[in-house]
Amino acid sequence: MTPRTCLIVDDSRIIRKVARRIVEGLGFEVDEAADGSEALAFCGGVIPEVILLDWSMPVMDGMTFLRRLRALPGGLAPKVLFCTIETRAERIAEALSAGADDYVMKPFDGEILTSKFAEVGAV
Amino acid sequence: MSPDDFDRLQSLMVSRAGFRLTRDRMKLAEHRLGPVARREGFETVDAMLGSLWAKPVASLGWAVIEALLNPETWFRRDRVSFDTFGKELLPALGKARGGQPVKIWSAGCSTGQEAWSLAIAAREAGVAVEIVATDLSQRALEKARSGAYTGFEIQRGLKAETMLRHFDQAEDAWIANAELRAMVHFARANLIDAPTDAHRFDIIFCRHVLGDADPARRGEMFDNLERRLVDDGCLFLGPDEQPEGDSIAFRPVAGRKGLFVKSPTALRRVA
């Protein structure tokens, strides 16, 4: 069985590293992108099953990436979890209405991320 | 903390709460009692325990007991049980009760996440319920009653969408909204106390509670649950918990981990 795939999009290398360790622990093969445009280029080739997405990033932010991803062929398939420092209810609602499957407020830990993956049906 | 102190703590926990304080929790006990000692105005844990043994003051005794219980819980812990509850049991029971609220007990609710998760499931199923949530710990109940959780707590088990629908944001906290709060009544109760009235529930959730009970007290605790449950009611335990060996009051439902109904023996005894 091919392992399931997850793309972690965050401009912080440390966050990517922490998230990677947790997501690999859930049995995923992980790729990383440092901003939305890198992530979009990646998704032009192969679309991962789950995308963990920061909001505020240089070059292209998470919201722009999400809208463009959803317009790609096959772009509705991946489960997208925003994962950001932004915790205001109206911003969370905005992300969900833009097509995010779930939303993780930083800081998070393995238990939170695991439960989020379970709730969106990724594990 | 001396071994003698720990022995006394163990017997205090068994006699008052039916709780088995295993020896490997000695360090943890010391760690948890530090804040209690400070709060109660003692220099050290040892000084507090010395005073408690010399002159057992009920309020101090309960403060100590509360601190040693296991408070861990989160929203929709063991998600499958909540799905069974909300998508299968509640719609069926709601119909069977003809619009009368389905009565639910969250027994050992700790800081309340289980009770709120049940209320959320009921709202999403559109079934009228009355939820009573009890715990031995007053401090845990205070938090449960406040319905306020940190960002860390709220997102452990809840989807953001569910969180936005049922909780209001206030500063750094997420607070159960008015609709949810109207559904849950919190009260203190000790599971080793036999029921003193005839109030019974359609569904009881008592998960990750009896696993910590002293084996000698577990049977009576199961019997107390059984007496609080209607004959065609359901009991949820943790997915790996079993009354087997402790009680013949319940039998497992095949293919449903953690779900139990009254055994024929229990029904006969009631009749």
Side-chain angles (χ1 to χ4, degrees):
Chain A
M1 201 177 92
T2 40
R4 283 164 310 164
T5 51
C6 177
L7 178 66
I8 296 172
V9 192
D10 200 301
D11 57 339
S12 154
R13 208 162 53 85
I14 294 167
I15 297 280
R16 293 201 303 270
K17 198 172 158 191
V18 170
R20 171 189 275 272
R21 197 174 317 134
I22 296 168
V23 174
E24 282 180 343
L26 296 173
F28 282 78
E29 197 166 84
V30 172
D31 287 291
E32 297 180 19
D35 63 62
S37 101
E38 261 187 35
L40 204 59
F42 182 90
C43 292
V46 53
I47 295 197
E49 280 149 273
V50 181
I51 299 173
L52 218 53
L53 182 63
D54 191 12
W55 191 315
S56 163
M57 290 177 289
V59 190
M60 185 193 289
D61 70 10
M63 195 60 99
T64 312
F65 163 79
L66 176 59
R67 297 212 165 95
R68 297 220 189 149
L69 167 80
R70 291 308 194 201
L72 286 179
L76 292 174
K79 302 284 186 193
V80 176
L81 286 84
F82 258 105
C83 186
T84 99
I85 197 79
E86 175 60 68
T87 61
R88 278 172 298 170
E90 56 276 16
R91 299 285 272 172
I92 299 173
E94 186 187 344
L96 295 178
S97 60
D101 293 277
D102 207 344
Y103 194 105
V104 182
M105 299 179 279
K106 289 176 186 168
F108 62 89
D109 64 5
E111 278 158 350
I112 287 169
L113 214 51
T114 303
S115 84
K116 290 285 185 182
F117 270 60
E119 287 292 323
V120 300
V123 287
Chain B
M1 188 188 301
S2 70
D4 182 50
D5 280 335
F6 191 75
D7 288 346
R8 287 184 184 220
L9 275 181
Q10 281 185 314
S11 32
L12 181 72
M13 292 302 287
V14 172
S15 63
R16 308 290 281 281
F19 185 95
R20 178 185 48 169
L21 184 65
T22 49
R23 200 148 276 283
D24 59 302
R25 295 199 205 177
M26 192 155 160
K27 272 265 171 301
L28 182 71
E30 190 137 28
H31 176 75
R32 294 252 191 94
L33 290 178
V36 181
R38 275 196 296 283
R39 216 163 53 227
E40 301 285 336
F42 291 94
E43 291 271 306
T44 62
V45 169
D46 288 2
M48 174 177 70
L49 294 178
S51 158
L52 182 63
W53 310 142
K55 187 164 151 283
V57 176
S59 60
L60 180 58
W62 283 114
V64 165
I65 291 167
E66 285 192 2
L68 297 177
L69 298 171
N70 179 1
E72 188 172 38
T73 181
W74 60 90
F75 288 97
R76 286 168 54 76
R77 180 181 189 177
D78 315 320
R79 305 166 46 250
V80 176
S81 293
F82 287 92
D83 291 340
T84 304
F85 167 77
K87 297 191 174 127
E88 298 179 53
L89 290 179
L90 267 191
L93 265 170
K95 233 176 249 162
R97 297 290 178 264
Q100 287 295 318
V102 177
K103 296 192 170 73
I104 300 153
W105 180 19
S106 166
C109 67
S110 187
T111 42
Q113 284 92 328
E114 177 179 85
W116 300 123
S117 302
L118 294 169
I120 289 167
R123 275 187 68 77
E124 307 211 323
V127 176
V129 297
E130 280 171 14
I131 301 169
V132 173
T134 67
D135 201 85
L136 190 53
S137 165
Q138 292 284 16
R139 285 178 70 82
L141 283 171
E142 268 168 43
K143 159 116 183 162
R145 235 178 240 128
S146 78
Y149 299 92
T150 64
F152 223 73
E153 293 164 335
I154 194 76
Q155 55 181 346
R156 189 167 174 204
L158 283 191
K159 284 189 78 166
E161 192 192 349
T162 314
M163 172 185 89
L164 291 180
R165 208 175 315 134
H166 301 283
F167 289 80
D168 300 323
Q169 190 170 30
E171 308 266 315
D172 288 339
W174 294 85
I175 303 176
N177 67 21
E179 289 85 352
L180 224 51
R181 296 160 80 88
M183 299 166 71
V184 186
H185 173 72
F186 290 98
R188 184 176 180 277
N190 193 337
L191 296 177
I192 59 174
D193 294 339
T196 52
D197 58 61
H199 192 84
R200 295 210 285 172
F201 297 92
D202 296 302
I203 300 175
I204 299 176
F205 272 66
C206 186
R207 302 166 321 123
H208 310 282
V209 175
L210 296 177
D212 283 325
D214 185 70
R217 310 296 301 268
R218 217 177 275 151
E220 62 187 296
M221 291 161 105
F222 271 112
D223 288 346
N224 292 341
L225 291 178
E226 189 267 319
R227 290 166 62 185
R228 281 286 185 207
L229 188 65
V230 298
D231 285 348
D232 58 350
C234 294
L235 168 71
F236 283 89
L237 300 176
D240 299 316
E241 294 179 312
Q242 292 276 354
E244 206 177 324
D246 298 310
S247 168
I248 52 163
F250 296 98
R251 65 174 176 81
V253 175
R256 303 285 173 160
K257 267 187 142 185
L259 180 58
F260 297 83
V261 292
K262 287 197 184 191
S263 65
T265 343
L267 293 177
R268 261 202 306 281
R269 197 174 58 208
V270 171

